Amino acid sequence: MQADGPYDADWSLALKYANACGAFAVSRHGCTPAYPSLQELEFFLDRGVVQRDLRNDPALEQIHWSTTRHTRNAGDWSDMRVFAFDHRLQLEEMDGYDLEKGGTFKW
């Protein structure tokens, strides 16, 4: 199910990548800076989860730092279309939610 390029991916592959990117976003602090580079994403999908809190996985953090540090203040962002939504309120309203459970989810 390998695509020829990022714009040739089928829905299954696109959803696989999107779910993995979401795992990074909820595990790390910040939103956009938390998203993985393609190299980091492929490493993660090939290797799998070694540590649930991805932000504390040394191998992933090293790849993230080394593949994203040059892009933090550079690039043309005029073509970005991004939507972010904070689901914290919905989580807090769920039956059985408490601060300890919420804390283990993200922090």
Side-chain angles (χ1 to χ4, degrees):
M1 182 172 27
Q2 190 66 16
D4 293 330
Y7 302 105
D8 299 323
D10 62 23
W11 277 108
S12 177
L13 183 60
L15 293 172
K16 180 180 178 178
Y17 277 41
N19 279 323
C21 286
F24 281 97
V26 299
S27 177
R28 292 178 172 154
H29 296 287
C31 188
T32 304
Y35 294 141
S37 65
L38 181 59
Q39 295 89 343
E40 183 182 4
L41 183 60
E42 289 174 344
F43 174 83
F44 173 71
L45 292 171
D46 287 342
R47 186 193 67 170
V49 176
V50 171
Q51 188 163 342
R52 279 183 33 187
D53 54 339
L54 302 180
R55 71 182 176 282
N56 290 319
D57 184 315
L60 288 173
E61 286 302 295
Q62 175 61 36
I63 296 169
H64 185 71
W65 178 82
S66 65
T67 59
T68 63
R69 68 174 183 226
H70 64 283
T71 64
R72 294 181 193 247
N73 296 313
D76 177 10
W77 295 92
S78 63
D79 197 30
M80 295 294 291
R81 305 292 186 265
V82 179
F83 176 75
F85 187 80
D86 187 347
H87 295 280
R88 193 172 348 194
L89 183 60
Q90 289 89 338
L91 291 173
E92 291 173 357
E93 292 174 348
M94 291 176 68
D95 290 336
Y97 177 89
D98 61 36
L99 289 177
E100 184 178 345
K101 288 179 183 175
T104 60
F105 178 69
K106 181 147 184 165
W107 306 177

